[in-house]
Amino acid sequence: DGSNDGTGPTSYYVLQGTSMACPFAAGMCALLIQEKPGATPTQIRNGLIEFASSAGAPNNDVGHGLFDAILSINNVVPVEFTWFDLE
């Protein structure tokens, strides 16, 4: 049974809420850090929020929506530091 509404086999469950969202968000953060190692924590956070499906209209039901890994990876631009020799 391919249903995703919780009526499928007993080994398949549909869950929601922050307990389910946190591992997914952590995985997205890890993916962005791997792909953009120079990105700051703020850039990672903003990249996740800015390119989510409801980024323009977050609400109490879905927050900022579903993450879009491809958009986030393609649009998060790490800060480039220029080191100066102070000697």
Side-chain angles (χ1 to χ4, degrees):
D1 184 300
S3 66
N4 64 358
D5 62 1
T7 62
T10 56
S11 62
Y12 181 81
Y13 296 97
V14 174
L15 301 172
Q16 61 186 3
T18 56
S19 294
M20 298 300 103
C22 286
F24 190 68
M28 282 291 300
C29 288
L31 178 65
L32 278 171
I33 290 167
Q34 178 180 341
E35 292 296 317
K36 306 290 184 169
T40 66
T42 299
Q43 287 177 310
I44 298 292
R45 178 187 177 275
N46 291 345
L48 293 176
I49 291 171
E50 185 175 345
F51 302 107
S53 63
S54 296
N59 62 60
N60 288 333
D61 292 326
V62 297
H64 287 279
L66 299 174
F67 296 127
D68 188 321
I70 300 300
L71 276 177
S72 294
I73 289 170
N74 289 337
N75 290 288
V76 169
V77 179
V79 173
E80 292 191 24
F81 293 99
T82 303
W83 296 100
F84 296 97
D85 186 2
L86 299 176
E87 293 180 17

